[in-house]
Amino acid sequence: YHDESEADPDQQQTEKPRTPSLASVIGEAVVVNSLQSFCLALEPLIRRVVSEEVENILMKHSLSVTQTSPLRIQGLEQSPSLELIFNKKLMLPIFTGSKIFDADGGPLQIILVDTRGDQQLVSTCLPHPIRVEIVVLDGDFPADDRNTWTSEEFNNNIVKERTGKRPLLAGDCLTVAMRDGFAPIGDIEFTDNSSWIRSRKFRIGARVVPGSCEGVRIREAMTEAFVVKDHRGELYKKHHPPMLEDEVWRLEKIGKDGAFHRKLSAAGINNVQDFLKMSTVEPQKILGAGMSEKMWEVTMKHARTCVLGNKHYIFRQPNCTITLNPICQIVNATINGNTYSIRELSSMSRGYVENLVRQAYGHWYSLE
């Protein structure tokens, strides 16, 4: 090798490059050939080692996922943030064979809510539809009025029909699709009463159909506990409020086909309107039917909740015309060409006004 430290720079510039010898070229070729052969021999070994290491890493990763996933699912099971709820309470009482409505008289509706965020219920939805099933629950579930439960507890408290009976819930929409976090429930009804289970009460529940929403726990919905009565009980149910055309036994303290009912029918009092007209004109006849003053007060209080509507009746005489409401109370009167309001009529002779009302009552079915 040339020693550059001792060489003269001027001489270095004038020296010509040396041509490599044949021996050196052959030596380099032998070395290169040996390296290529070594690499070719080493390649299978490297491939096998890399493959084994990749497999080991994948196995460890798969084991890690298998071990951690149940923990995640268990956490979701214990405290889910998503849950189904019925958006309104039920209209009570409920009878077998009768359609079930919410408190406003509309169909039942289920919505999906998120409880995160200071435990406030916020409507939410999933990116895909889910199937929701309607079931019947024992009225004693959950115990101690808890507001948390597991899917297993919920499923264990589903009530099935009695042996030999039809399915407890009937309807064409016991399984519905929830889209955009909302699921309307159509016509459903009970086929059996609730007197045969220990709690004597049912709840209506809703759960996600298994397999409809994998990987996330959505807590089930349930209504308040309620009694389901036989349909024949509805035949004797009182109406609140009563209607003018309702039969008179729909009023409190008057039993169907009972003593008071028969006496009122004998006096020509068949419906609520008849009862209120009679109480306006001749209340003593109703009391004469055998009703005590205390019973009279309860029945009258119930009857007065009746919606009268806007229909008026006109009674015409040669010198007067009076207008009455559906229960024979004067609205206004025209006497000798002068029109009087109720307040003005009160200052007139009471006997004269009462006589006009009785005459109108006597001709009720011929009034305009």
Side-chain angles (χ1 to χ4, degrees), residues 93-106:
I94 294 177
F95 295 90
T96 58
S98 297
K99 300 296 184 277
I100 300 173
F101 300 102
D102 64 25
D104 294 334

Side-chain angles (χ1 to χ4, degrees), residues 152-360:
E152 183 179 4
E153 291 174 330
F154 183 91
N155 295 335
N156 289 340
N157 282 276
I158 293 177
V159 180
K160 297 296 184 180
E161 65 275 7
R162 288 190 277 182
T163 303
K165 295 280 189 177
R166 296 168 52 200
L168 200 49
L169 269 184
D172 55 358
C173 53
L174 299 180
T175 301
V176 296
M178 171 172 280
R179 294 182 175 86
D180 300 324
F182 172 80
I185 307 300
D187 292 340
I188 59 174
E189 60 186 45
F190 280 95
T191 62
D192 199 358
N193 63 62
S194 59
S195 63
W196 53 277
I197 65 172
R198 182 178 179 181
S199 66
R200 302 291 192 271
K201 293 182 178 181
F202 289 144
R203 294 180 190 266
I204 296 177
R207 64 177 180 177
V208 175
V209 174
S212 177
C213 185
E214 297 290 351
V216 62
R217 160 89 163 104
I218 299 178
R219 195 172 74 168
E220 301 80 6
M222 67 175 66
T223 65
E224 67 274 25
F226 54 86
V227 174
V228 177
K229 302 178 181 179
D230 280 325
H231 181 70
R232 62 177 177 267
E234 187 176 18
L235 299 176
Y236 299 91
K237 184 176 66 173
K238 306 300 182 182
H239 288 174
H240 295 272
M243 305 296 290
L244 287 172
E245 61 274 14
D246 282 346
E247 295 181 87
V248 70
W249 57 263
R250 295 288 187 181
L251 296 176
E252 297 289 348
K253 300 300 181 182
I254 303 177
K256 185 179 181 181
D257 299 326
F260 297 152
H261 184 202
R262 291 194 299 269
K263 289 181 179 180
L264 290 170
S265 296
I269 302 173
N270 298 308
N271 55 35
V272 175
Q273 185 176 13
D274 294 337
F275 182 89
L276 289 170
K277 286 191 300 180
M278 182 70 77
S279 67
T280 300
V281 180
E282 297 178 307
Q284 67 278 2
K285 283 192 175 182
I286 298 179
L287 287 170
M291 299 183 71
S292 66
E293 290 189 9
K294 186 174 182 180
M295 292 180 64
W296 162 259
E297 290 176 2
V298 173
T299 306
M300 280 303 305
K301 183 178 180 180
H302 184 203
R304 288 186 182 124
T305 63
C306 181
V307 178
L308 301 181
N310 56 7
K311 185 182 290 186
H312 286 167
Y313 298 80
I314 301 174
F315 174 62
R316 300 183 187 275
Q317 287 290 293
N319 62 338
C320 72
T321 300
I322 61 174
T323 303
L324 305 102
N325 66 12
I327 60 174
C328 214
Q329 294 173 332
I330 292 182
V331 177
N332 58 59
T334 301
I335 303 173
N336 296 324
N338 298 317
T339 301
Y340 300 91
S341 65
I342 298 175
R343 181 178 298 178
E344 293 169 331
L345 287 171
S346 62
S347 62
M348 290 184 165
S349 170
R350 182 175 179 181
Y352 176 72
V353 174
E354 289 179 350
N355 184 55
L356 287 175
V357 172
R358 276 194 293 269
Q359 289 184 56

Side-chain angles (χ1 to χ4, degrees), residues 128 146 215 312:
H128 54 82
R146 291 184 294 113
H312 286 167

